[in-house]
Amino acid sequence: MNPEDKDPIETSEWLEAINSVIEEEGIDRASFLMTKLAKRLNEEGAIPTYNLTTPFRNSIPVKDEAQMPGDLFMERRIRSLIRWNALALVLRANKNDDDLGGHISTFSSAATLYDVGFNYFFRGSEGQLEDLIYYQGHSSPGIYARSFLEGYLHEEDLDNFRREVKKPGLSSYPHPWLMPDYWQFPTVSMGLGPIMGIYQAHIMRYMSARGLVPRNDRKVWVFCGDGEMDEPESKGAIALAGRESLENLIFVINCNLQRLDGPVRGNGKIIQELEGSFRGAGWNVIKVVWGRKWDPIMAKDKEGKLQDIMDAVLDGEMQNFKAKGGAYTRENFFAKDPDVLKIVEDLTDEDIYRLNRGGHDPYKVYAAYHKAVNSSGAPTVILALTTKGYGVGSREADNTTHQVKKLSLDNIKAFRDKFNIPVTDEDIEQIPYVRPPEDSPEMQYLKNTRAKLGGPIPRRRKESKVLKMPDDKSFSKLYQGSEGRNISTTMATVRVITDLLKDKELGKRIVPIVPDEARTFGMEALFRQVGIYSSAGQNYEPEDADKVMWYKESKEGVMLEEGITEAGAFSAWTALATAYTNYDFPMIPFYLFYSMFGFQRIHDLAWAAGDSQAKGFLIGATSGRTTLNGEGLQHQDGHSHILSSTIPNCLSYDPTFSYEIAVIIKDGIQKMYVEQKNYFYYITTMNENYEHPPMPKGAEEGIIKGMYKLLPAKKPVIRLLGSGSILNESIKAKELLSTYGVESEVWSVTSFNLLRKDGMEIERINQLNPTKKEQKTYVEECFEDNPVPVVASTDYMRSYAEQIRPYVNSDYTVLGTDGFGRSDSRESLREFFEIDANSIVRAAAYTLHKNKIMDKAQLKKIYDDIEVDPLKPNPWEV
Ligand SMILES: Cc1ncc(C[n+]2csc(CCOP(=O)(O)OP(=O)(O)O)c2C)c(N)n1
Ligand SMILES: [Mg+2]
């Protein structure tokens, strides 16, 4: 808002005054005076408006720009080849009818932003820990094209872009799962790169504060699109980065002003909007708006009239200036003021079109990166103005350019000519890759630049140190059971974590993480025992300083108390769970959360953690639709095991007893950190207190595989399967059934998900090998001696236990908690959802009768005794 100037003479006096301070005493003194004046204004109730955004121009004045030391022309030749090969690999992938897709316009706008980084800043892994770089997903063709020139990828690799079924192939986007020695971070789901990058920088500082891995001048670079910044995750953690002064973090936002469908802010200015958001969050903001060709023009703008036009022009119009050319720009931009029009009167229309944007000018980009890596005390965001589809002829800055994957011959030629690519008209239809000979100056230059920076990137470390198993004491205490006490599985898990923290070998690698929920899970003793990490330490006396379990924050604190941000806490977990690759230092993070606010809330981040081959433990506490009882519909989780099962490398368990937890965690450490398997674990724990028995002999194997016989019977006519706290209902049902002379076995199912996985695997092996001896699934092996009917009950939706139906070769009934949760006592809820002992007895009696094992009279007696109501409302419909 520009209020009317009521007294221009007075205004100019003030301006003169500040100008003379700037000239004589410098910008710092001028800023000091302005701050004092602003404070005075605020005292009168004025709201500061001037200090969040600066004019729409480069933040670094020309006189302060660091000079790029390299050979500009050589670098342009190399960058042009990278541009061409990136274009070629997408066009070639789409020449036939395979419809493989790919993107041209994103990288074409970002090429210089990456190139300057690769040439001068991004550190490789030789002799040091490499910089951590989150590449914008859709720019992958350009990253591959550079690796090709550097000699790490070959023509056949490029020709297998997006062909991943048969190796070798290049994944569509950055996916460590598919290219485990190349890509470090999955970024293509928009918003995940920015939040994961922020927490990566946070964890980098945590690791060094604890003396585990020195930080040195290592950086986290996050490249993202301007459209991508609309994702809540993209901006959701920027305040943390500012608050924590993450000076090791640099965001580069490619502001090409377009997203997929059209302009990002047609009616506004995305660069200005982002500047305000980031500066408000405490970041250094460096705008790279105009390229060097604008410098002499801006120098002529003595009265600021050109600047006024720049400040007012909308992004929607800016797009037209690139899409419609120089004459259009003269008429619709410069002609807004006759004095400004004069400034460009000596320029041809072509000259005007070629007035370059900052993000395409290596000098300007270099100056910005130089400032970013050398600044301290705050994270930096670089907002670079670019053109989407830069150089692709008529498709430049057009609204549909995002999805271009085929180009007309004219546009290919225009691209070739603009970047002086040595391909003749005769060859051009083949779109050949271009790579100069190994001994050419270009190749030598390219190799030298990377050699100086510590070798090629992207690179991913596949494996790290093998860890030693912890002292068995951490687990064996739990094998005894709770010895008469009533405890919860959450308490048992916290006990394992507390013991592991004390382990000589592994202790320092164990990190408990909570999103403001430690007291809920009875973990507050850890506050004092290991301290809560705070980069600031603790500069106040905590309210509870006189208590045993006081709230201790410390620079060397171990526990991560991330506040109420499941996405943030999960991103911190992911950074630690991938520390084995990114820091060459395996960590064992335990993230404890309300199970309902786990996968349901952050599933896409969990999917990315799977892609990243994270290793660690997720503990879904207060789980179960009826076990967490007083909280109601939004809190009571009856489906997180279904959600976790969708991630291929996530192993999930729903244990009941503390010894089961001990066995599962021990096995997890063995598999992930000793055998180096790329799994992560999801374990649900509950807040219901009950007695825990000692571990039955020989139960370990079954616990790990997913099921074991807990209570045998001499001549069982039915099997009762139970998991989580509902196993206790199955145990009660066994007792009830025995009063009617019905003998039953009880099985503890620690993981229906793993039983299903085993079943699928065996089924497939048999199908592929019809002439070999048929193998049995684990469920078949368990039940084959006596194929009696089976009733399974869990605190989860029926589909969780349904998964093993193909392998139970007898009558199979499943009880579960389909429907919305509600608040009540556990007893009422279990009756409502029909998973209490009586409902299990009902299901057992019915199936026995159906199978002609129980007569009608006995069925009727049981139904009468347990008061079965045929008109009871259906729990998933009321
Ligand atoms: C979470 C998510 N939603 C949607 C998409 C689909 N998508 C891919 S690119 C894109 C537009 C990107 O625009 P921008 O961030 O400005 O990047 P640019 O290509 O312009 O550099 C969209 C919507 C996605 N990849 N991820
Ligand atoms: Mg964009």
Side-chain angles (χ1 to χ4, degrees), residues 391-465:
V392 291
S394 65
R395 306 306 296 274
E396 184 168 300
D398 100 12
N399 257 342
T400 62
T401 196
H402 184 83
Q403 283 166 312
V404 168
K405 30 195 151 287
K406 296 189 181 183
L407 280 181
S408 67
L409 196 56
D410 280 351
N411 282 333
I412 301 175
K413 284 184 177 167
F415 191 92
R416 175 198 62 184
D417 297 342
K418 182 176 173 85
F419 297 111
N420 309 106
I421 307 298
V423 173
T424 61
D425 276 352
E426 229 169 56
D427 293 342
I428 200 159
E429 282 189 60
Q430 296 310 314
I431 328 167
Y433 300 119
V434 181
R435 188 166 183 269
E438 217 62 54
D439 56 359
S440 63
E442 287 81 5
M443 300 303 277
Q444 292 306 311
Y445 189 93
L446 189 63
K447 291 229 155 120
N448 284 341
T449 49
R450 284 315 308 162
K452 272 191 243 160
L453 285 162
I457 41 168
R459 272 292 169 282
R460 182 179 177 278
R461 204 173 280 104
K462 272 208 246 184
E463 285 188 350
S464 183
K465 299 174 187 77

Side-chain angles (χ1 to χ4, degrees), residues 109 136 225-228 254-260 264 388:
S109 67
Q136 195 186 354
D226 47 358
E228 180 173 10
N254 176 14
C255 297
N256 55 24
L257 312 185
Q258 288 176 247
R259 50 193 181 205
L260 192 151
V264 175
K388 193 150 180 168

Side-chain angles (χ1 to χ4, degrees), residues 633 818-822 832-833 871-878:
L633 178 154
D818 296 71
F820 282 120
R822 57 192 63 207
F832 173 78
F833 281 107
L871 298 176
K872 183 175 174 297
N874 175 351
W876 58 88
E877 287 202 338
V878 290

